[in-house]
């Protein structure tokens, strides 16, 4: 019998944030696959405003981690990372942020499909210059999101909440046809 619709999308439902990794390295093939997924992400008007920097140098990853704590804590143990570099353009922030999120989430899903883990490390605006220096970015580009990658530790793989409790219940989130009447 073919799998039910819900079972077929289960890999997406199972994609969670991983923030702690073992020291097992990532392969070139894994990083290539994850960045291919990023490259094929959709963006506003297909402008592809992003450039992706693959960071394999653990020293650089750890320096970014320390600069941006606590949001960048997943980079304390990540064995690889992908920085999403965006143009710093007034008036386009909303659309760029939307594109940023689409590429980041796809990379998390790709990592999960490969049996790896990914985590979003958000670069606060006060940390942007430090990251710009570490990655050698020109002044008109910035990084808001870095996807931390690696093999999650057992502890990181463990569910963070009781089964079914990680999200609000369906009836609180999903409505039929119109906003529910009181
Ligand atoms: C826009 C956005 C920014 C996030 N920023 C961070 C962050 O800076 N550091 C971090 O560790 N997790 C970050 N996360 C991950 C969320 O905290 C995480 O998705 C949420 O706690 C649910 O966890 P789960 O996906 O493992 O269920 C971010 C998620 C989103 C959507």
């Amino acid at each position: 019998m073919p799998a039910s619709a819900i079972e077929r999308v289960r890999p997406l439902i199972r994609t969670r944030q991983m923030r702690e990794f073992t020291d097992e390295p990532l392969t070139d093939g894994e990083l290539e696959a994850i960045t291919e997924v990023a490259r094929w992400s959709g963006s506003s008007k297909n402008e592809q405003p992003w450039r992706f920097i693959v960071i394999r140098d653990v020293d650089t990853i750890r320096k970014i981690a320390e600069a941006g704590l606590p949001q960048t804590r997943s980079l304390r143990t990540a064995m690889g990372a992908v920085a999403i570099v965006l143009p710093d353009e007034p008036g386009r922030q909303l659309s760029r942020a939307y594109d940023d999120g689409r590429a980041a989430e796809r990379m998390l899903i790709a990592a999960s499909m490969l049996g790896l883990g990914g985590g979003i490390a958000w670069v606060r605006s006060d940390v942007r210059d430090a990251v710009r220096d570490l990655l050698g970015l020109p002044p008109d580009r910035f990084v808001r999101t870095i996807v931390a990658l690696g093999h999650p530790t057992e502890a990181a793989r463990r569910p963070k909440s009781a089964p079914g409790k990680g999200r609000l219940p369906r009836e609180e989130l999903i409505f039929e046809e119109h906003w529910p009447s009181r």
Side-chain angles (χ1 to χ4, degrees), residues 169-180:
R170 219 185 136 79
E171 59 275 17
E172 278 185 42
L173 284 180
I174 296 160
F175 310 135
E176 298 288 338
E177 311 300 347
H178 51 74
W179 191 258

Short mmCIF file of all heavy atoms in Angstrom, two decimals, residues 169-180:
data_model
loop_
_atom_site.label_atom_id
_atom_site.label_comp_id
_atom_site.label_asym_id
_atom_site.label_seq_id
_atom_site.Cartn_x
_atom_site.Cartn_y
_atom_site.Cartn_z
N PRO A 169 -0.99 22.78 19.45
CA PRO A 169 -1.88 21.77 18.86
C PRO A 169 -2.52 22.28 17.57
O PRO A 169 -2.69 23.48 17.38
CB PRO A 169 -2.93 21.53 19.93
CG PRO A 169 -2.72 22.53 20.99
CD PRO A 169 -1.41 23.23 20.77
N ARG A 170 -2.81 21.34 16.69
CA ARG A 170 -3.39 21.65 15.37
C ARG A 170 -4.57 22.60 15.46
O ARG A 170 -4.67 23.55 14.69
CB ARG A 170 -3.84 20.31 14.76
CG ARG A 170 -3.60 20.20 13.31
CD ARG A 170 -4.15 18.94 12.72
NE ARG A 170 -4.81 19.32 11.49
CZ ARG A 170 -4.16 19.58 10.35
NH1 ARG A 170 -2.86 19.45 10.28
NH2 ARG A 170 -4.82 19.98 9.30
N GLU A 171 -5.47 22.35 16.43
CA GLU A 171 -6.69 23.17 16.48
C GLU A 171 -6.41 24.62 16.85
O GLU A 171 -7.21 25.51 16.59
CB GLU A 171 -7.74 22.54 17.40
CG GLU A 171 -7.34 22.32 18.84
CD GLU A 171 -6.58 21.00 19.09
OE1 GLU A 171 -6.09 20.40 18.11
OE2 GLU A 171 -6.47 20.61 20.26
N GLU A 172 -5.22 24.88 17.44
CA GLU A 172 -4.89 26.28 17.76
C GLU A 172 -4.21 26.99 16.60
O GLU A 172 -4.05 28.21 16.62
CB GLU A 172 -3.92 26.32 18.96
CG GLU A 172 -4.62 26.21 20.29
CD GLU A 172 -3.65 26.37 21.44
OE1 GLU A 172 -2.77 27.26 21.38
OE2 GLU A 172 -3.76 25.58 22.39
N LEU A 173 -3.75 26.22 15.62
CA LEU A 173 -2.93 26.80 14.56
C LEU A 173 -3.60 26.81 13.19
O LEU A 173 -3.29 27.66 12.36
CB LEU A 173 -1.63 25.99 14.40
CG LEU A 173 -0.54 26.20 15.43
CD1 LEU A 173 0.65 25.31 15.10
CD2 LEU A 173 -0.09 27.64 15.45
N ILE A 174 -4.46 25.82 12.95
CA ILE A 174 -4.95 25.62 11.59
C ILE A 174 -6.47 25.69 11.60
O ILE A 174 -7.13 24.96 12.36
CB ILE A 174 -4.44 24.27 11.04
CG1 ILE A 174 -2.92 24.35 10.96
CG2 ILE A 174 -5.06 23.95 9.67
CD1 ILE A 174 -2.20 23.05 10.91
N PHE A 175 -7.00 26.62 10.81
CA PHE A 175 -8.45 26.86 10.80
C PHE A 175 -9.00 26.53 9.42
O PHE A 175 -8.28 26.58 8.42
CB PHE A 175 -8.75 28.32 11.14
CG PHE A 175 -8.05 28.80 12.40
CD1 PHE A 175 -7.41 30.03 12.42
CD2 PHE A 175 -8.02 28.02 13.54
CE1 PHE A 175 -6.75 30.48 13.57
CE2 PHE A 175 -7.36 28.45 14.69
CZ PHE A 175 -6.73 29.69 14.70
N GLU A 176 -10.27 26.23 9.37
CA GLU A 176 -10.93 25.92 8.10
C GLU A 176 -11.72 27.12 7.61
O GLU A 176 -12.54 27.66 8.35
CB GLU A 176 -11.90 24.73 8.28
CG GLU A 176 -11.24 23.44 8.71
CD GLU A 176 -10.42 22.77 7.61
OE1 GLU A 176 -10.66 23.05 6.41
OE2 GLU A 176 -9.52 21.97 7.96
N GLU A 177 -11.44 27.53 6.41
CA GLU A 177 -12.22 28.52 5.65
C GLU A 177 -12.17 29.95 6.18
O GLU A 177 -12.17 30.90 5.43
CB GLU A 177 -13.71 28.12 5.50
CG GLU A 177 -13.94 26.70 5.03
CD GLU A 177 -13.33 26.37 3.67
OE1 GLU A 177 -12.93 27.31 2.95
OE2 GLU A 177 -13.24 25.18 3.35
N HIS A 178 -12.22 30.14 7.49
CA HIS A 178 -12.20 31.50 8.02
C HIS A 178 -11.69 31.49 9.44
O HIS A 178 -11.59 30.43 10.08
CB HIS A 178 -13.60 32.14 7.97
CG HIS A 178 -14.65 31.27 8.59
ND1 HIS A 178 -14.76 31.10 9.94
CD2 HIS A 178 -15.61 30.50 8.02
CE1 HIS A 178 -15.74 30.26 10.19
NE2 HIS A 178 -16.27 29.87 9.04
N TRP A 179 -11.39 32.66 9.95
CA TRP A 179 -10.94 32.80 11.34
C TRP A 179 -12.03 32.24 12.25
O TRP A 179 -13.21 32.49 12.00
CB TRP A 179 -10.70 34.30 11.61
CG TRP A 179 -10.00 34.56 12.91
CD1 TRP A 179 -10.59 34.99 14.06
CD2 TRP A 179 -8.61 34.39 13.18
NE1 TRP A 179 -9.64 35.09 15.04
CE2 TRP A 179 -8.41 34.73 14.53
CE3 TRP A 179 -7.52 33.97 12.42
CZ2 TRP A 179 -7.17 34.68 15.14
CZ3 TRP A 179 -6.29 33.93 13.03
CH2 TRP A 179 -6.12 34.27 14.38
N PRO A 180 -11.68 31.47 13.27
CA PRO A 180 -12.73 30.81 14.05
C PRO A 180 -13.59 31.82 14.82
O PRO A 180 -13.06 32.79 15.35
CB PRO A 180 -11.95 29.91 15.00
CG PRO A 180 -10.58 30.48 15.05
CD PRO A 180 -10.33 31.18 13.76
#
